[in-house]
Amino acid sequence: MTVSLRAGTLTPAGRPVRIGLMFVGHFAVAFGAKRAVPAASLGTLFIAGQLADLVWPVLVIAGIERVGVQPGLTVVTPLDFIYYPFSHSLVAAAAWALLFAAAYSRLRNAALRTGIVLALVVVSHWVLDALTHRPDMPLTVSAETTRVGLGLWNSLAGTIAVELLLFGAGLWLYARATRALDRTGRRALWGLVAFLLVIYAANLFGPPPPSGMAAAWSALAMWLLVAWGYWVDRHRAVVPV
Ligand SMILES: [Zn+2]
């Protein structure tokens, strides 16, 4: 798993590169939402919370969205999000939320409440990104749209504090809402937590990626974390309230 997240396959440097995406904060929301939608797997919640960043690298690699690298652009990330309305505009977030909730509800015959919570988790991605990004988050898919962003990424300490607090809270909620069914249920969860934190640190302190395309290829590895989420959840049971 580490291998695919290393930039060695993507860059000559052979080290993890700094993408600096809002990272553990999105996983925090996913962990925290488990109690509200016990029927949904943690893997499904990971998809919901990270849908924008799961779709984004695919669109960049396909040449539909564009990202550049400008070291020093913000303290936390050197990525310059030039054009990403289909993964990261507010309108797109709402559309993805509806689509995801509808698809899940149909496939799993889920209750309306489950669909609503999943949709909210999808939209939470945009809200958290708007907190951290500089004003590059489009409201609509139009080229002339207003772009917003509160710029928490201008403060490394602020970013780490907010993300780790969120992560701790989300994880605590998940750990309380579920219990391990076997040894894997415990080890897979804490292994995942350790892995997320290591990747997060590399994300913050690694060298900038040589190109936007390299960053997108690295970000694709996020899909592996989704698989890890499903694995963890299969070995844990929901604790009755
Ligand atoms: Zn994002």
Side-chain angles (χ1 to χ4, degrees), residues 9-224:
T9 51
L10 313 164
T11 72
R15 282 171 298 177
V17 288
R18 167 147 48 128
I19 311 180
L21 299 172
M22 159 64 103
F23 187 65
V24 292
H26 294 306
F27 286 99
V29 176
F31 274 119
K34 175 71 177 179
R35 168 60 83 200
V37 282
S41 166
L42 185 62
T44 302
L45 290 165
F46 280 0
I47 298 179
Q50 285 285 28
L51 192 52
D53 286 355
L54 289 166
V55 169
W56 170 73
V58 178
L59 293 178
V60 170
I61 290 162
I64 296 166
E65 298 198 335
R66 284 200 315 278
V67 62
V69 178
Q70 243 194 80
L73 190 62
T74 70
V75 176
V76 173
T77 185
L79 295 188
D80 182 8
F81 298 97
I82 301 162
Y83 183 71
Y84 62 163
F86 305 109
S87 63
H88 277 80
S89 69
L90 180 58
V91 166
W96 285 113
L98 281 176
L99 204 72
F100 185 74
Y104 182 85
S105 301
R106 200 187 163 99
L107 280 172
R108 306 301 299 268
N109 216 354
L112 178 65
R113 180 193 140 84
T114 304
I116 291 172
V117 174
L118 288 177
L120 288 175
V121 173
V122 174
V123 172
S124 77
H125 186 102
W126 191 90
V127 176
L128 287 181
D129 273 7
L131 171 72
T132 51
H133 285 225
R134 65 199 188 94
D136 64 18
M137 300 280 299
L139 293 182
T140 73
V141 294
S142 144
E144 285 93 48
T145 184
T146 306
R147 289 162 163 252
V148 299
L150 294 176
L152 182 62
W153 275 343
N154 291 315
S155 162
L156 181 63
T159 300
I160 293 175
V162 168
E163 284 215 72
L164 289 187
L165 275 174
L166 276 174
F167 189 63
L171 188 61
W172 182 74
L173 286 170
Y174 180 79
R176 274 174 51 105
T178 61
R179 65 179 170 82
L181 288 170
D182 50 25
R183 216 189 301 169
T184 307
R186 211 167 24 251
R187 290 186 178 173
L189 173 62
W190 297 111
L192 171 63
V193 169
F195 189 70
L196 285 173
L197 291 175
V198 167
I199 294 300
Y200 183 53
N203 241 320
L204 288 177
F205 303 111
S211 68
M213 201 49 100
W217 280 104
S218 293
L220 264 189
M222 193 99 74
W223 283 99
L224 297 172

